[in-house]
Structures are given as structure tokens and as C-alpha cells.
Amino acid sequence: MSDSRQVGADPDGQADAESNTDETGNRRTAGETILAAEGLRKSFGGITAVDGVEFEVERGTITGLIGPNGAGKSTTFNLLTGVHTPDSGRVRFDGTDITGWQPDRIARQGLVRSFQIARELEDMTVMENVMLAPPDQFGEGFWASVLPGFRGRVARQEAELRERAWETLAFFELDDLANERAGSLSGGQRKLLEMARVLMTDPEMILLDEPMAGVNPTLEEKLLDRLHELQERGYTFLLVEHDMDVVMNHCDPIVVLHQGQVLAEGGPQLVRNDERVLEAYLGGTVES
Amino acid sequence: MTPAPLGQLLGALRARLDAVRGVVGNRQVTDGGTVQRTTSDLRFVAGLALGLYVLFLVLSLLGGFQSAEAVTSRLQSVTLLALVYVMLTLALNLQWGYAGLLNLGVAGFAAVGVYTMALLSLPADGLGLGLPLPVGILGGFLAATLLGALAALPAIRLRADYLAIVTLAFSEIIRLLIRSQPASEFTIAGQRLGTGGTDSLDLPPNPVKSLLYENPDQGAFVAVENPTVIGDRLFTAGEAVGFGPSLVERVVYAVLMLAVALLFYWLLVRVGNSPFGRVLKAIREDELVASSLGKDTRRFKIIAFAVGCGLMALTGMLWQMEGGGSTAPTTFEPELTFFVFVALILGGSGSNTGSVVGGIVFVAVLLEAPSFIQRIVDTQFGVPSAPETLFDAFTGVDPFLGYFLSDTNISALRFIVLGAVLVYLMHNRPEGIFGGRTEIASPIDLSDRSGTEGDES
Amino acid sequence: MSTREESGGVLSSVELNPLAVVLGSLAVLLFADLGRRLVTGKLPVSTLATFLWEGVVFGMAIGLAGIGLAMTYSILQFANFAHGDYITAGAFTGWLAAFVVAGLGSFGLSGLVLVSDTVPTGELGINVFATPLAVLVGLAVASASSAGLALALDRVVFKPMRGARGISLLIASVGVALALRHALIVLFTGSTRSLTTDVPGQTVAIGDGSVTVGAHEVTLVVVAGALMLSTHLLLRYTKLGTAMRAMADNEDLALVTGIPTERVVRTTWLVGGALTGAAGFLIALESGSMDPTFGWDLLLLVFSAVILGGIGSVYGAIVGGIIIGITRNLSLVWLPSELVLVGAFGVLIFMLLVRPQGLVGGVKTV
Ligand SMILES: Nc1ncnc2c1ncn2[C@@H]1O[C@H](COP(=O)(O)OP(=O)(O)OP(=O)(O)O)[C@@H](O)[C@H]1O
Ligand SMILES: [Mg+2]
């Protein structure tokens, strides 16, 4: 793991940018696979939710993962991030086989996800939610939290993180709510809090499960801009989204899941014109 | 459901509490929030304690305690028990309130501490190894901590209700082992060791005895003949107000306990106001979130559980060494654990100050007040002849209520009230007296924005 | 950081398996030792048979008592810590009735109603042969009162908490347990009282010795067996039973399909409570004495049975009860009697750690 996820790193990500881009300032390794799902399979009782899913995500892309309700998108996320262990198949991240790893270890490796149904920590404040996320916090050690000698260092680090947290919250327009219980947020705000938390972990790759659901259009535009901005700096995204406008305009390539299997894969044009995809959506929203 | 006085007390407490919250500012904590809150919390607790002392003073006088010595002696025992529960509740709060680990083995871990200490520090010609007391105490603390960690290692992934059952069973196993025949006396490498089985076991003389007497291991009557310099001063001072040496000793002990309790509080507030405590809170709320953000939740849970167990053991040792200094397996029945739980829920799990308040209120109102009241009724009205059974109470000539004032029935009624309080709290105020307020987990004031002013609207 | 990662992955995968292996081989060793003792004659066959028979008797009682706990666990989704005291409450009211039926007219009402230890039980002379009516009435009253109690407590305590987290319900049930147990002490006093007079047992010759089969033991096994069978029939062949099974499997589904869940919940308490009360009465009948804490003392064993059988499974509870009963008595081969409970609790912890879904498996079906 590089220094890209150092605590208190510059919030504007200059430091991150360097570690993920090469001398020319462009994506260092376009074309290199960062995440690979290899024949993932998972069933619950009688239902096979994911049935041999196989795809790769290139570093530095915003890859879309779409499919009708129940196609197995969230379950795929769960398999990729260690929430569920696959019945068979492998997950490879950044050249490492991470199959069967615990979620926390995968997250520390740089693969972080948000949840479709926002899981805010209700009884903690918005600020605490965000401050939880940064990795390698010195004060997370028991002794560091207790012994007088270490306290100063913990406080200094906290102050740095606080600054970053405020900026992140400001970006997501949550700063006015920073001291409120997270449980008092609206549905859209919760999704924003999830995103803010994920960004605070300094990940390499981010899996977002319907991050825009319930977010107002102006902010959605802003978020998408931010996504591209982060993409420029070398972050990779895998995005589950039902809004076809968003998917077609912002994701490339797109992976289409249907009944637990990959139905199609390719650029927006390709997917848009794919007969099977149209059929899967039953003449749905793809006509744009 | 709860008797009226208790309801009133809760109401009054709540009102006072809202006042405290007003001072601190529940939501918008302004600068130096934690420090300010801690002091104002401590002031609240001190006020509560003072109020209760006055109340108990009045109750003791009504109950016919005559001398200052008798009153002080009684108040000392209430104080000590309150401190014990405060400490146990604080330790449990770390596990249940912070990390969401439902430990029903409080009594068992306390017992591990007490009996390990006894094995290490009792005289070698008795049932122990004859090591110095500090070694014994450290040993008891470490034994419980390690056992806690060891128990936590596999148990920590269990659902909360499974963990509850496992820890309760674990606690019972410990108690049954201690009181069993084979454990009561055994020999290892020629050294006679033992727990004393079902009998009570005399513990090594407590540190206060060593402070006051030159020869603390001798019986109290002999030891008092030969006090240390400090002991001599204190005994003389005690004599001036009419306190015998044994009461002086007990008062000093209570002061020591108070110091340790403050240390516990200080320690746990620090833990709570740190990134470590923040992760624990996150685990309690939603463990998957914490682990999805890269936190090794098992590490945090095991540490919290183990440290909590160690603190329980420490409390157990200090508790049992007080006064005559003996212990017995009956002390560590599951009731003790449930009492601590009631105290924690009463105070508000998740809040350290709540734990302190819960411990105090629990001991004062639920454990001790009934016997004061019983005494008052006895001395003021007198119960000429209480009915022996409930049947007699209904049919006989003796005063009906007299039946409920016998020692055993007072104690049983106390449990009934306790159970009712627990149910009442779960129905109406599951967050307890102090719960539900946000104690921000950070050593610094997170609402301070000075570093980022003017950055964004 | 890297070390933490190492331990993270390794811990989870290896954590339990060595434990299972070690304890599994321990079990094998114990059985081998049992065989050795039998062969060498250190353990007479008749002694072993006695242990087994008494284990079965105790196991039937625990299994019967466990059904109610398993039902509430699966349908209401919480561990009811007051269950042990439902056992006691049933036993006390049942024996109150039995005492009154057997002794009315000859003894003072006060002693009879309080199941007092002042009543000379020798003269009262309750046993299945001498006073079958008293025993039968007692059994019926025990069932009815426990069922009523369970319903009433549900109404007052648990119903207002429907939908609360299981852990809140668990804590509330601890409150109920404390209050109920001590209410019994206030009502009946805390003394241990003897209940029955001896009945001649049947001696069965086995090996070089014999096993004594007591009439009350047989009564317990027969009645418990009959009640278990009726429960089975109820669950299998009545509409309500089907509804209960459906709800145990998936409450949301049951709601959607229009099964009246409140009614199912009430039935659960009713049936579970009745069986629990009967178990309490029978346990007291078999042991010939009781005190107000005996149900509480059994609680962890009942939990063991329920967990062993797979939490929430009625059949599992029965099987688990019998296994726990036999284990408890069989461990007398190695352990002094005062440590037998330690063995049983050890099994409980082991099961929860290694196989929390129980012996029977993961499917949660009433
Ligand atoms: N934990 C689980 N237990 C049982 N079934 C599950 C579980 N998780 C998912 N499923 C089933 O797997 C299938 C795929 O679900 P999944 O949540 O992955 O779909 P999705 O593509 O994310 O749908 P949506 O667009 O509605 O979010 C569904 O039929 C769902 O019911
Ligand atoms: Mg989904």
C-alpha cells in the first residue's frame, strides 16, 4: 500500500494524484485491470443470485454495472467486498487474490464500497460518521487513546482529520448538519454521507451502489463532476445506477447483469443497441 | 408499574439532567466541549451524591441510629457498595454500552480476579503462594483480562443473544468450579492451594490495613495495638469524633475506592473520547459499516471485552478485601451481573456519566433504601408480631403489611421492584437517565471549523 | 499494518476448526475410555444403565420444558430468560392444587395452599398410585397456570415491545425473571419442601447388577412423551400449527400471506406455557421436592438443549434435551457430581461456538 492513503493527506488530493498518475500526469496505467470477478457464484437457499459473473474493471474508469431489479448487482458487490463469500469463483484486486478475505481487510487494501440502503451510524453525529473513516488513525490504538503521553499526537491528528472532514462535508453540502445525529438525516442526505465516508477512507477503487438515489438533480450533477474529477486523478469506480441517462453519459464501459449473469459488456453505444439488453429491460428505459 | 417515589425521583433526575444538558449544550457543543462537560457532569454526580447523603442521614436518624459512629458506619457501607457498582457499571459500559457486547458474565470475571489474587497472595502456609499483594492484584487483573480475551476470541462473532448465553454459562462454570470439592483444596508441586470451596475464604489484608497497621496480618485486635505513624494520627483523629479504629479503617478504605472509581471514570472517558471509542461506537451501531470502512472490528471488540473484564476483576478484588476481607462463591451468583445490568440501563448505556449515575442510584434507591425504610417502620411503629405466611397475613389478626417487612420479604420485594424497573425502562426509557445524549467520540471539539473558514458556503 | 492484515484473514478461517478438532477428539477419547471401563469392569454395566435411564428421564423433562423456549425463540425471536421461572410458577400452582385435592379436610388449608414445608408430606401421601387424581389435577392446573401466566406476561411486558430488537426483549425478560421468582418467594416462602411419598420402583436386572425404574420416573417419561407427540400433531395437522411454522420461517412472509400473527403469537405462549408448566410439575413430581429457584437453576440446561437442537426447532429441543440429560448423567462416570453441571454448560458453550445452528441443522422450523 502506498502513501496515497496516509492520514491527513491533502484533501484536494494533490498527493494522491501523484501516486496514481505517471510523470505525464495522465492515467498511469490505462488498460490495466484493477478488479476482476472470475466466475462468481452465490445462491441463497433456492435462489441463485449470482450465477457465474465474470468481468474486469480497468484502472481509472467509471464502469457502470446495470441490470433490472434483482439482477444480482448488490450481491455481486457483496461478493467483491467480502460481505458474502462466493460459493465458487475468485475475486482479484490489484493483482492480489482477495477471495474470502474479511471486508475490513479488503477495505484496507483499497477497495471500498457504499451500500444501496444507506447504513449511517444513527446515534453518532454526521461528523463522527465521517471521522470514523480515515485509515490508520493513531488514536485507534487502545494505549494511544488512554496514555497521557500519546494524547497530544492523537489530538493533532484529529485536528488534521477534522479539517479534511469539514471540507468533505462542505462538498456534500452536509456541513450545516455536521453536529446532528446521522439518524436525523433525510434519505438523500444519508446517501451523501455514505459517499463522504467512503471518500474519507482514501480508497483506490470505489464501489457505489445507487449513490444518486434520492439526491437532488443539482447536487447529482455536482457529484458526477466530482466523480470525473476523482477519475482524472486515478480513482476507479464501479457504479450501480438505474438512471439510464447517468449511466449512458458517465459510465464507460458498462456491464449488464441479468438473472445473475453478465448479459452484455461494452461502451454505451454497444450496450444501448444490444437486443438482449433491450429485451431484459422489457422495452424499459433504454430508448434514450 | 414503578412505585410512585421512584417515578418522582426519575422525574426529578430527568429535570436536573436537562438542566445539565442545557449548560453543556447537547447538540452544539462549543469549544472545549468534552472538558466542560466532564466537569459539569462531575458536578452533577457530586450534587446527586450529596443529596443522597442528606437523604440517608435523615433516614438513619429516623431509623433510630443514635451515635455519629453508627450513622457513619452505615453510610460507609452504602458508599462502598455504590462505588463498587459504579465501577462494575463503568466496566460493563465499555463492553455493552460502547462495543455492544452483551456480557452476562460480570460476576464470573470478578470472581476470577478475586480468587486468582487469593491464590497468589495468601500466605504460603495457608492456601496461597505467599506473593506480595500487588503481585496478587496484578495477577488477578491479568488473569481476568486474558480469560476475557480468550473467551472473546471465538465468542465475539456470535449474535448478541448467543454471547449472552455463552458468557452466563461461562460465569456459572467458574462459580461451580470455585465451590467444588476438588478446587477447595489441592496440592501442586508440594504447595497447598485452594479456593475454600463453598466456605468463605479469608483474603490477604487489604492495602489500607498495611497503611494503618505495622502488622496487618495479625487479627484486628492485636494489629490495632501497633499502628503505623499514619495510622496513629488517623486513629487519634477518629477518636476525637468518636470513631473507633475499625471505622477509621473503613472510611479510609472508602476514600481509596473513591480514588480508584475516579480513575476508572477518567480512563473510560478517555477511551470514549478517542478514535478507539469511535470505532467501538460504530461497531455497536453497525458492525458491517465499521468493517467495510476498513476497521478490524475483532481487534477492537476483543480489546474492549478484555479490558472490561480486567476492570471487573479489579473491582471485585477491592470490594471483597474491604473490612474483614473475606469472599465466598455466593457473592458471584448471576444476580450480581443482572444488578449491574439494571444499573447500567438505568443510568443509560453508552454514557460513562450515565454509568456512574446508574450505579449510585441503583445502590441507593433499589438496594439500600428498602432496608432503611424497613428499619424506620420497625422503630417508629413497631410490628408486634408479623404474620408468618401470606396466608396468615390475609386471614390472621396480625397487621397485613407486617408480612412484607420481614427481612426475607423485604429482600424479595426489592427484586420484584427491580424486575419491574427493568421492564419499565425497556418500555419507556430504554436509553436510561443519561442515555440518548450524544457524547462525541473525539479528544478534540469536532464542531470547531476554524481551520476551514471561508472555504465553501 | 501488514501484520494486522495477516491475522485478519487467518483468524477467521482457522479460528474454530482446531477447536472443533480438539474437542471432537476429546469426545472420541471419552467414548474409548467408557468402553475400557466397561470391559475392565471398572464401570459395572448396571451403573451405566442407571446413568442412561436417569439421563433419559431428566432429558425428557428438559426437552419438554425446552419446547416452549424454542417456540418463543423462533416466533418472537428472543431468548426468554424468564422461561425457567415459568417452570417454577407452573410447578408451584400445580402442587398447590395437588395438595388441596389430596389433603383438603385432613390438613389445615393454610399449609396446603402454600405448599408449605409444615405439611407432613408423609401423611399427605401423594404419589401416582395412592392419589392419582391429585397428580392429574396438579398436572392440569400447572399447565393452565403457566399458560395463563405466559399470556398475561406477554400482554403486559412483551406485547408493547413487539418489533423491538431481540436483545431488548431479552433484557426485559431478565426483569420478568427476577420479579417472578421473588414474587413466588413472597407468596410461598423460599423453603425447600418435600412433595411426595415414595412409591416402590421396579427393579430390572442388568449384567451383574440392576436398574431401579421408579414409578414417577415412568410417569414423567410417559406423560412427557405423550405431550411431545400431541405437540407434533398440533404443529403438523392443524391450521394454526402450519401458521406457526410459517411464521417461524419468515415473519414478513407470514404477514404478507395474511396469517393472523397476533393469534399465532398468543397460541405460541399458550402452548409453550402449558408444556412448560407441565414440565415443572413433572420435574417436581419425579424429584419429590422443590423450591422457588429450581426453574431458574434449570434455565441454562434448557437453553443448552434448545441450542443443541438448533435454536427455534421444537424437535431439536426434544432431541437436545435428551442428549443433555444423558450427557449430564453419563459425565458422572468421570466427574464428581458437583461438576456435572460444568460439563453440561461446557457442551452448551462448545455448541454455540462451533455449531450455533445446532446439531439438526440450519433450517429454522418449529
Ligand atoms: N441475503 C440474501 N438472502 C436471500 N436472498 C437474497 C439475499 N441477497 C439477495 N438475495 C436475492 O438475490 C437476488 C439478487 O438480489 P440483488 O440485491 O443482488 O439484486 P440487485 O441487482 O441489486 O437489485 P436492485 O436493483 O433491486 O437493487 C434477489 O432475488 C434477492 O432476493
Ligand atoms: Mg441492489
Side-chain angles (χ1 to χ4, degrees):
Chain A
M1 218 170 295
S2 68
D3 55 357
S4 68
R5 274 186 305 290
Q6 238 176 23
V7 173
D10 181 346
D12 292 334
Q14 299 306 337
D16 300 344
E18 270 155 41
S19 65
N20 281 324
T21 50
D22 66 9
E23 302 76 41
T24 63
N26 285 323
R27 264 185 247 146
R28 175 179 52 176
T29 38
E32 178 205 355
T33 300
I34 182 167
L35 179 76
E38 299 170 3
L40 289 180
R41 203 175 299 274
K42 179 80 185 176
S43 38
F44 301 101
I47 310 161
T48 304
V50 171
D51 192 3
V53 162
E54 184 125 9
F55 64 87
E56 292 187 349
V57 178
E58 265 177 39
R59 188 185 288 279
T61 60
I62 299 179
T63 302
L65 183 64
I66 63 170
N69 294 119
K73 305 180 294 292
S74 300
T75 309
T76 304
F77 266 28
N78 287 339
L79 294 177
L80 294 174
T81 54
V83 175
H84 293 317
T85 332
D87 297 338
S88 65
R90 311 220 67 84
V91 181
R92 214 170 280 285
F93 176 68
D94 226 357
T96 318
D97 188 342
I98 59 168
T99 322
W101 285 22
Q102 295 293 314
D104 56 304
R105 193 174 168 203
I106 293 177
R108 287 198 299 277
Q109 194 78 10
L111 180 61
V112 182
R113 59 92 56 90
S114 75
F115 292 92
Q116 177 173 4
I117 297 167
R119 301 177 77 131
E120 74 291 344
L121 303 165
E122 289 188 24
D123 281 335
M124 297 168 74
T125 64
V126 170
M127 193 63 177
E128 280 181 297
N129 265 271
V130 177
M131 290 286 286
L132 174 72
D136 295 337
Q137 296 186 38
F138 181 63
E140 283 176 2
F142 178 74
W143 294 116
S145 76
V146 175
L147 292 183
F150 297 126
R151 204 62 176 180
R153 197 174 142 195
V154 174
R156 271 198 305 284
Q157 200 186 51
E158 286 281 285
E160 283 167 23
L161 292 178
R162 176 178 62 192
E163 201 171 316
R164 244 184 91 196
W166 275 116
E167 275 158 27
T168 310
L169 287 177
F171 175 80
F172 287 101
E173 298 178 0
L174 289 171
D175 46 342
D176 288 340
L177 302 165
N179 299 316
E180 297 296 327
R181 276 179 71 243
S184 66
L185 297 187
S186 75
Q189 288 166 337
R190 287 171 202 208
K191 307 271 340 182
L192 294 176
L193 179 57
E194 285 251 326
M195 284 249 264
R197 243 175 16 196
V198 166
L199 282 181
M200 288 289 285
T201 63
D202 288 318
E204 241 171 277
M205 174 168 179
I206 304 174
L207 308 184
L208 297 171
D209 201 343
E210 299 187 28
M212 319 293 181
V215 175
N216 79 61
T218 333
L219 192 51
E220 183 176 319
E221 276 309 311
K222 214 173 130 197
L223 282 180
L224 286 165
D225 287 347
R226 173 75 163 183
L227 234 57
H228 284 292
E229 198 183 301
L230 291 168
Q231 180 197 14
E232 289 303 311
R233 284 202 222 128
Y235 286 89
T236 313
F237 292 91
L238 182 62
L239 183 67
V240 169
E241 184 54 60
H242 280 300
D243 182 340
M244 282 305 141
D245 284 340
V246 171
V247 174
M248 293 301 158
N249 294 327
H250 299 275
C251 299
D252 187 9
I254 298 167
V255 179
V256 186
L257 281 191
H258 183 49
Q259 294 178 349
Q261 289 173 329
V262 177
L263 188 67
E265 202 178 345
Q269 282 304 328
L270 209 69
V271 169
R272 201 190 313 239
N273 299 325
D274 192 303
E275 285 293 317
R276 294 165 303 168
V277 176
L278 287 169
E279 205 173 304
Y281 276 93
L282 286 172
T285 44
V286 209
E287 64 278 349
S288 67
Chain B
M1 177 142 276
T2 32
L6 185 74
Q8 277 169 13
L9 187 94
L10 281 177
L13 271 172
R14 212 174 292 170
R16 180 73 188 85
L17 191 72
D18 289 341
V20 173
R21 283 175 171 167
V23 173
V24 182
N26 187 20
R27 293 190 176 276
Q28 302 289 336
V29 185
T30 45
D31 89 303
T34 40
V35 177
Q36 208 178 66
R37 166 152 52 211
T38 306
T39 39
S40 106
D41 277 3
L42 281 177
R43 218 178 305 140
F44 172 75
V45 171
L48 175 74
L50 200 69
L52 285 169
Y53 274 126
V54 172
L55 176 74
F56 277 90
L57 200 65
V58 172
L59 289 179
S60 331
L61 294 178
L62 286 177
F65 283 102
Q66 298 296 340
S67 66
E69 184 170 25
V71 173
T72 312
S73 166
R74 191 71 187 83
L75 290 186
Q76 189 272 354
S77 60
V78 177
T79 308
L80 195 95
L81 199 62
L83 288 170
V84 165
Y85 273 87
V86 163
M87 289 156 76
L88 289 176
T89 310
L90 278 168
L92 184 64
N93 185 44
L94 178 64
Q95 299 175 331
W96 167 236
Y98 268 95
L101 298 168
L102 188 45
N103 177 10
L104 288 188
V106 177
F109 287 107
V112 168
V114 173
Y115 279 91
T116 309
M117 181 268 287
L119 287 181
L120 291 175
S121 289
L122 279 176
D125 54 0
L127 288 173
L129 292 175
L131 298 172
L133 185 63
V135 176
I137 292 182
L138 188 70
F141 175 78
L142 289 180
T145 308
L146 286 179
L147 211 59
L150 219 65
L153 212 57
I156 219 91
R157 337 153 298 139
L158 296 178
R159 285 167 32 180
D161 50 345
Y162 290 10
L163 183 64
I165 297 169
V166 164
T167 46
L168 180 59
F170 184 74
S171 166
E172 280 295 86
I173 287 180
I174 287 170
R175 187 175 64 87
L176 291 169
L177 284 178
I178 287 172
R179 70 191 297 268
S180 71
Q181 191 60 41
S184 69
E185 206 179 313
F186 54 94
T187 309
I188 291 178
Q191 178 64 49
R192 211 159 62 91
L193 293 168
T195 61
T198 50
D199 297 335
S200 80
L201 177 72
D202 285 329
L203 296 173
N206 65 49
V208 168
K209 283 198 197 323
S210 314
L211 184 75
L212 300 180
Y213 307 120
E214 290 288 356
N215 303 310
D217 339 298
Q218 288 165 343
F221 284 111
V222 188
V224 80
E225 297 298 324
N226 204 354
T228 60
V229 185
I230 301 174
D232 195 34
R233 290 242 174 96
L234 288 174
F235 291 144
T236 323
E239 225 168 302
V241 285
F243 290 4
S246 87
L247 183 58
V248 170
E249 184 197 313
R250 286 173 54 211
V251 170
V252 173
Y253 201 88
V255 173
L256 170 86
M257 278 296 264
L258 179 65
V260 181
L262 282 170
L263 193 73
F264 270 40
Y265 180 71
W266 175 83
L267 181 93
L268 291 166
V269 165
R270 276 175 92 90
V271 171
N273 291 338
S274 73
F276 181 84
R278 194 155 64 211
V279 177
L280 290 185
K281 273 169 84 173
I283 291 172
R284 176 194 64 193
E285 301 254 320
D286 190 336
E287 186 172 355
L288 183 57
V289 167
S291 60
S292 287
L293 292 173
K295 310 301 171 194
D296 182 357
T297 54
R298 272 154 312 178
R299 181 179 79 90
F300 289 92
K301 291 205 287 186
I302 289 171
I303 292 177
F305 196 81
V307 170
C309 291
L311 295 181
M312 287 164 188
L314 201 57
T315 311
M317 290 184 268
L318 291 174
W319 177 26
Q320 296 295 297
M321 275 195 294
E322 195 261 350
S326 69
T327 193
T330 46
T331 314
F332 303 104
E333 285 180 359
E335 254 89 17
L336 175 63
T337 303
F338 294 139
F339 283 1
V340 179
F341 250 92
V342 179
L344 179 57
I345 290 167
L346 187 67
S349 71
S351 157
N352 285 312
T353 307
S355 308
V356 174
V357 172
I360 293 174
V361 171
F362 173 82
V363 169
V365 178
L366 292 171
L367 280 189
E368 292 288 354
S371 57
F372 275 86
I373 291 166
Q374 176 196 19
R375 227 188 121 99
I376 293 173
V377 174
D378 264 0
T379 50
Q380 301 289 315
F381 310 104
V383 181
S385 60
E388 292 222 334
T389 65
L390 192 58
F391 192 87
D392 298 341
F394 272 113
T395 56
V397 287
D398 293 320
F400 174 73
L401 282 177
Y403 174 69
F404 295 99
L405 286 169
S406 71
D407 284 342
T408 48
N409 282 335
I410 279 280
S411 130
L413 282 175
R414 193 160 62 188
F415 279 96
I416 297 175
V417 172
L418 248 167
V421 168
L422 198 52
V423 172
Y424 172 85
L425 285 170
M426 293 320 287
H427 278 185
N428 299 304
R429 204 174 162 81
E431 73 277 18
I433 302 174
F434 252 84
R437 78 168 184 181
T438 7
E439 292 185 359
I440 313 272
S442 172
I444 62 169
D445 176 15
L446 289 186
S447 57
D448 179 11
R449 253 193 115 161
S450 47
T452 53
E453 233 33 77
D455 179 64
E456 187 113 25
S457 64
Chain C
M1 184 152 197
S2 64
T3 48
R4 214 202 292 164
E5 282 168 12
E6 290 304 316
S7 66
V10 173
L11 253 181
S12 60
S13 53
V14 188
E15 192 163 56
L16 292 178
N17 297 344
L19 197 66
V21 170
V22 168
L23 293 173
S25 35
L26 188 70
V28 171
L29 275 179
L30 285 178
F31 267 102
D33 183 59
L34 192 66
R36 186 185 60 81
R37 281 170 196 248
L38 278 177
V39 172
T40 56
K42 243 178 150 178
L43 175 73
V45 183
S46 59
T47 310
L48 180 65
T50 304
F51 286 160
L52 286 176
W53 165 243
E54 283 171 357
V56 168
V57 172
F58 187 68
M60 288 296 274
I62 293 294
L64 186 64
I67 295 177
L69 188 64
M71 281 179 166
T72 43
Y73 217 138
S74 64
I75 294 205
L76 292 157
Q77 307 282 317
F78 82 103
N80 181 11
F81 272 68
H83 190 79
D85 300 292
Y86 290 10
I87 298 178
T88 324
F92 269 82
T93 40
W95 280 98
L96 183 160
F99 267 41
V100 170
V101 170
L104 198 62
S106 340
F107 299 91
L109 188 61
S110 126
L112 295 176
V113 167
L114 294 173
V115 202
S116 169
D117 51 354
T118 57
V119 176
T121 7
E123 291 168 39
L124 192 62
I126 296 184
N127 67 47
V128 273
F129 294 134
T131 60
L133 183 67
V135 171
L136 212 61
V137 170
L139 185 66
V141 170
S143 298
S145 64
S146 265
L149 183 74
L151 279 177
L153 283 170
D154 179 56
R155 191 58 177 270
V156 178
V157 177
F158 300 117
K159 194 172 175 197
M161 299 179 74
R162 288 275 193 277
R165 288 184 314 150
I167 220 65
S168 307
L169 289 159
L170 186 157
I171 293 170
S173 78
V174 169
V176 173
L178 287 173
L180 185 55
R181 176 153 71 256
H182 290 88
L184 288 174
I185 293 178
V186 170
L187 290 174
F188 290 97
T189 76
S191 62
T192 305
R193 55 223 68 210
S194 70
L195 303 169
T196 56
T197 47
D198 284 340
V199 268
Q202 199 67 39
T203 314
V204 183
I206 284 183
D208 42 3
S210 63
V211 179
T212 308
V213 177
H216 286 160
E217 291 176 333
V218 174
T219 312
L220 187 153
V221 171
V222 169
V223 175
L227 288 173
M228 287 170 181
L229 189 68
S230 330
T231 311
H232 166 69
L233 295 177
L234 174 88
L235 288 176
R236 272 294 143 210
Y237 299 109
T238 65
K239 246 178 147 170
L240 215 53
T242 318
M244 281 171 75
R245 282 187 287 136
M247 200 169 152
D249 284 341
N250 188 339
E251 188 178 354
D252 299 335
L253 193 76
L255 271 173
V256 171
T257 50
I259 295 165
T261 47
E262 262 317 305
R263 213 171 113 222
V264 172
V265 169
R266 270 202 306 278
T267 316
T268 306
W269 284 115
L270 196 75
V271 175
L275 296 173
T276 308
F281 183 85
L282 290 170
I283 292 169
L285 173 76
E286 195 270 320
S287 72
S289 68
M290 66 179 181
D291 65 53
T293 58
F294 87 91
W296 164 251
D297 295 333
L298 288 177
L299 180 67
L300 270 179
L301 283 178
V302 180
F303 264 121
S304 308
V306 170
I307 287 163
L308 201 63
I311 284 185
S313 156
V314 165
Y315 306 110
I318 298 171
V319 175
I322 292 172
I323 294 178
I324 282 288
I326 291 178
T327 314
R328 170 178 168 273
N329 284 50
L330 207 56
S331 58
L332 284 168
V333 174
W334 299 278
L335 291 177
S337 60
E338 54 183 352
L339 289 185
V340 156
L341 274 182
V342 172
F345 296 162
V347 170
L348 165 70
I349 292 180
F350 172 71
M351 278 307 292
L352 273 179
L353 294 185
V354 177
R355 212 180 145 72
Q357 69 273 41
L359 287 177
V360 182
V363 193
K364 199 178 58 180
T365 307
V366 172

